[in-house]
Amino acid sequence: MSFLEMLYFIIPSAILYATPLIFTAIGGVFSERSGVVNIGLEGLMIVGAFVGIFVNLEFASTLGSATIWVAMLAAIIVGGIFSLLHAVASISFRADQTVSGVAINLLGLAVSVFLVKLIYDKGQTDMISQPISRFSIPYLQDIPFFGPLLFRDVYSSSILAFAVAIGAWFIIYKTPFGLRLRAVGEHPMAADTMGVKVNKMRYIAVVISGALGGLGGAVYAQTITHDFSHATIAGQGFMALAAMIFGKWHPIGALGAALFFGLAQTLSIAGGQIPYVQDIPAVYLQILPYVLTILALAGFIGKASAPKASGQPYIKGKR
Amino acid sequence: MSNRVINILVPIISIIIGLIVGAIVMLVSGYDPIQGYIALWTGIFGDSYSIGNTIRQITPYLLAGLAVAFAFRTGLFNIGVEGQLILGWLAAAWVGYAFELPKIIHLPLALLAAAAAGAFWAFIAGFLKAKFKVHEVIATIMLNYTALYIANAVIKKLSDGSFKTERIHETASLRSPFLRELTDNSSLHYGIIVAIIMVVVMWFILEKTTRGYELKAVGLNQHAAEYSGMSVNKNIILAMTISGMFAGLGGAMEALGTFQNASIKAGFTGIGFDGIAVALLGANTPLGVVFGASLFGSLKYGALNMPNAAGIPEEIVSIIIALIIFFVASGYIIRVVLQKLKKKKEGQ
């Protein structure tokens, strides 16, 4: 394999694996920016993956190529609704946000597998007939070097992921809504004094994280696994959490980290076919994202600090 | 109602709501909840074989619960029990088959190795927190995955490419012909005794030693502890390490008692995460952990009987467990309701 062939093989695959992480990690950015820790990203992704596959299987014959979009939309809606549990528990009922997130993860998996067994009478769904398909972007694909690398055989979901990342950056840093969101996460009392409704902002942020987490799960299932079982989203949600932290709670940072983690996943899965990489034991590539996140938090790779009020319920009138 | 009564009522009410919601889910899904709960009950207590296996299932939950509870009491949240348990499992299995020693040395050595492996993995998180202010929740989540992949790679290496290690020697085994016969050939083993000893050990450390007092003090108020001359950093590292020791022993229960080897895992065992629920239900006290572990161990084992006996997917129990965690975590709202009821009563 020549170097160029290697790049043409690795880069599109890295983008493929990064796409679900981008959505979910940016969902995490919204939630944590508002001051609500969301360990439950994994559970949200699982629910999204299940909904995506369910809709795809049930409606593929009537909706045809529009199926994937309906499936993604359904995953967004159900993910948003599911995340309300986390919002109610951690915002209104003042539950420990980490514990509530753990419960979301357990519940997401249990409910999804329960429903699969209820609906299909077995632990694993059939393969979908309408996965998210690849296409080449006209004209752009003809650019030398970059064309085949970035614009040939791309997934529509990947383009959407980049759009979401840029959109999230704009919303969080360039709009009044984003300013309020960040204020609520840094210093809720000050925000409250200025008339920002702290709990409302947090509810919105958590639901956005649920919607994007659901979307991430649906995209993962419809591009990579093509079916749903208990092992479909094994750890992707936690990897998205890692990408969010590694990206320093910033949408573009999360995008970059997700792309890097996507590369690591590609190398650990397909590493056997790539020269030089095949000599590295897969385990090093598998643990890379997690070890890097720990190093980032320890301050070895630039200081990463969470929003100040992250993890604390806001209790009006309490100083 | 005193605070003490409310503290006991919150988990009980949570369990009841969890079971009720579980019944509603079964009803809505077209299953018969009464049949479901009967199947669950017989799965747990039906005969001496079930009871033996239920107790076996409770054993690792006890240790995982102790690990989470111990960390909680010292102000730390150890989500890394899962990873510490996996490494303890591996260490126990390795010592179990790689050495040939008399039982009196071999078994304690294997247990010690598991405890040390778990303790070391938790120590990393404690050290990172103390020295670099890395939040232990995130560090332990990342360490869980690192442990899972490292353990898998090591098992592959140890077994020359196979998916499980050699079987441990009889001298390292916790299995007991006596307990097996007593329970109609169930896989009950002596691990339950180890676990109960550890319950006492945790109680002793926290309640009877100066060090335990310090650890609790740091958990309650870091600044006050620091002001009175305690080293917060040292205590954080020590607390995590002890917590990891319990978790590692939980892994030893699986290696030396139930499975007699360590195998490659596609995902987590879930025991570590359920340990969070166990600790929460038990209000982070050693005795409470016994109750929490008994409940979760029973539910988890009894659930296996539900698909056969009532045609209900066993995941219903996982749903119930997750809901119980939600309700216990949201204890604040239950407290508010209880306080209101109390005021109403006083008003009459």
Side-chain angles (χ1 to χ4, degrees), chain B residues 27 41 60 63 66 70 128 135 156 158-159 192 202 209 216 314 328 331 334:
Chain B
L27 212 56
W41 182 267
L63 289 156
L66 289 180
F70 192 88
L128 288 166
H135 200 292
K156 204 169 170 188
L158 286 177
S159 62
I192 187 71
M202 170 167 161
T209 64
K216 280 190 293 182
E314 65 205 60
V328 177
I334 299 178

Side-chain angles (χ1 to χ4, degrees), chain A residues 118-159:
Chain A
L118 179 68
I119 298 167
Y120 301 103
D121 225 14
K122 52 186 179 181
Q124 190 161 13
T125 68
D126 292 329
M127 295 296 238
I128 52 173
S129 57
Q130 288 274 359
I132 298 176
S133 55
R134 289 182 276 192
F135 70 101
S136 300
I137 303 172
Y139 306 114
L140 286 179
Q141 64 157 323
D142 299 327
I143 302 172
F145 184 64
F146 288 110
L149 201 62
L150 299 173
F151 304 115
R152 192 171 291 169
D153 285 342
V154 290
Y155 289 88
S156 44
S157 49
S158 301
I159 299 169

Side-chain angles (χ1 to χ4, degrees), chain A residues 32 39 42 85-86 88-90 92-96 98-104 106-107 109-111 113-114 117-118 121 231 234-236 238-239 241-242 245 283 286-287 289-291 293-294 297-300 303, chain B residues 25-26 29-31 72 77 79 128 132-135 137-139 141-143 145-147 149-150 153 266-268 270 273-274 276-277 280 312-316 318-323 325-326 329-333:
Chain A
E32 301 232 349
I39 304 276
E42 173 90 358
L85 278 176
H86 182 53
V88 172
S90 57
S92 298
F93 293 172
R94 301 179 197 173
D96 185 311
T98 311
V99 176
S100 167
V102 170
I104 282 280
L106 296 176
L107 192 63
L109 183 63
V111 168
V113 177
F114 180 81
K117 287 188 178 168
L118 179 68
D121 225 14
Q236 291 294 318
F238 288 109
M239 203 177 274
L241 189 73
I245 295 164
V283 61
Q286 283 169 331
I287 66 173
Y290 308 110
V291 174
T293 302
I294 292 173
L297 281 168
F300 293 125
K303 194 72 198 146
Chain B
V25 172
M26 283 189 259
S29 324
Y31 299 119
F72 258 136
F77 194 174
I79 294 201
L128 288 166
F132 300 105
K133 305 271 167 268
V134 178
H135 200 292
V137 165
I138 304 296
I141 287 176
M142 301 304 148
L143 285 169
Y145 280 95
T146 318
Y149 292 124
I150 289 179
F268 290 125
F273 299 118
D274 289 336
I276 297 165
L280 278 176
I312 302 172
E314 65 205 60
E315 279 73 23
I316 187 72
S318 305
I319 295 177
I320 294 169
I321 289 179
L323 289 171
I325 301 177
F326 256 121
S330 309
Y332 162 76
I333 199 73

